[in-house]
Amino acid sequence: MLKVILVVVGLIALTIGIVWLIDKFVPKKLKPVINIVLWALIIFLGYLTFNSVYGEIKFNKLKDERYKKVIVQLIDIRDAELAHKTVKGQFTSDYGKLVNFIETGKFTITQRRDTTVVDEELTKRFGGVTMTKSLVLIDTLGFVSVKDSLFGADSRYKTMMNLPEGIGPAGSKINLDAGVLAESKIPVFVASVDKEVILFDQDKNLVAKEKEVMSVDGVRGSKLQVGSMQEADTKGNWPKNLSTNN
């Protein structure tokens, strides 16, 4: 955009210069018509400059508004996936299974306590002298619903995979993948949506530029996402100004 502005400003300066030259060297009879045409051109070029700057300002505002709405859903998906891993030991790439888990799954409430018991083997080895050993006992206190813990009475988890209304073409969904890292077998997942989908109705040049962002104060890369299939990471790739829950 900076190049466009510089070109337009240069053309405006050139046009003003031409107006000045005309005023000095063109016959008086032709000056009024030529001046009107040139000033009209100056006004038009000024409009293009304003519109190019204001257009990007509007794009950035709309972009951030849409990102914030999608991030809320990505965080819900992450919370649901982390709960699934806590209970099931792995993530899932199936939204149907994830929703069903939220509705039926339960967290186990446990209590850890230390205790000391007689070590019979050591007691025998030391000729009957009582020897003890420390143990950590995990007591199950009860169970609590995953749905109540994460969403309470809110049923938004049923549609957390769908992009909000007005964002993306009709029927657009957030992509979900899950698996394990090849070497360590650590469970991983990623929920993502291409920026081009979120900004489907915006200027293609501005969208292409947005997909190349790699700065820390912007959404890095071509997608808005949480998690990763390349490393054990459950963070989002958005800056703090869009959400405090990275």
Side-chain angles (χ1 to χ4, degrees), residues 29-220:
K29 291 182 179 181
L30 297 177
K31 284 182 181 180
V33 176
I34 296 176
N35 283 341
I36 290 173
V37 172
L38 289 175
W39 280 112
L41 180 59
I42 290 172
I43 293 172
F44 175 70
L45 292 174
Y47 168 77
L48 290 181
T49 302
F50 170 80
N51 198 50
S52 62
V53 174
Y54 185 59
E56 186 157 353
I57 291 174
K58 289 196 301 181
F59 172 81
N60 288 330
K61 181 179 179 181
L62 179 142
K63 172 197 70 178
D64 287 350
E65 289 174 352
R66 291 188 180 182
Y67 282 174
K68 288 177 181 178
K69 291 179 181 179
V70 177
I71 286 170
V72 170
Q73 294 182 251
L74 289 174
I75 291 173
D76 280 344
I77 293 172
R78 175 176 64 187
D79 291 345
E81 285 282 11
L82 290 174
H84 189 279
K85 179 177 177 293
T86 298
V87 176
K88 301 285 189 177
Q90 60 186 3
F91 296 117
T92 179
S93 59
D94 188 324
Y95 277 121
K97 292 181 179 179
L98 191 58
V99 170
N100 182 67
F101 165 74
I102 292 170
E103 294 178 336
T104 62
K106 295 183 181 297
F107 289 120
T108 302
I109 303 175
T110 61
Q111 174 180 279
R112 171 177 171 155
R113 59 188 178 90
D114 298 324
T115 186
T116 302
V117 298
V118 175
D119 189 325
E120 296 182 0
E121 183 176 339
L122 285 179
T123 297
K124 292 179 180 178
R125 190 180 303 172
F126 286 92
V129 178
T130 301
M131 305 296 292
T132 61
K133 60 182 178 180
S134 297
L135 295 178
V136 176
L137 300 180
I138 306 296
D139 298 325
T140 298
L141 302 180
F143 302 90
V144 61
S145 165
V146 170
K147 177 180 176 298
D148 291 342
S149 298
L150 298 184
F151 301 101
D154 197 325
S155 62
R156 68 181 187 277
Y157 65 90
K158 295 180 180 180
T159 57
M160 63 186 176
M161 69 291 295
N162 302 324
L163 289 182
E165 185 177 353
I167 300 179
S172 297
K173 295 181 179 295
I174 296 173
N175 299 315
L176 183 63
D177 195 10
V180 295
L181 295 177
E183 295 183 2
S184 62
K185 304 303 179 183
I186 295 175
V188 290
F189 85 97
V190 64
S192 66
V193 56
D194 198 295
K195 291 179 178 178
E196 195 167 351
V197 175
I198 298 174
L199 304 169
F200 73 108
D201 55 355
Q202 298 303 298
D203 183 276
K204 300 303 179 184
N205 291 326
L206 293 177
V207 174
K209 180 180 176 182
E210 170 63 20
K211 293 182 70 171
E212 296 177 356
V213 169
M214 294 304 295
S215 62
V216 295
D217 57 348
V219 175
R220 302 181 302 278

Side-chain angles (χ1 to χ4, degrees), residues 12-26 31 34-35 38-39 42:
I12 292 174
L14 178 61
T15 305
I16 294 174
I18 294 173
V19 171
W20 180 82
L21 290 173
I22 290 172
D23 186 59
K24 288 290 185 180
F25 303 107
V26 173
K31 284 182 181 180
I34 296 176
N35 283 341
L38 289 175
W39 280 112
I42 290 172

Side-chain angles (χ1 to χ4, degrees), residues 153 159 170 238 244:
T159 57
W238 54 82
T244 55

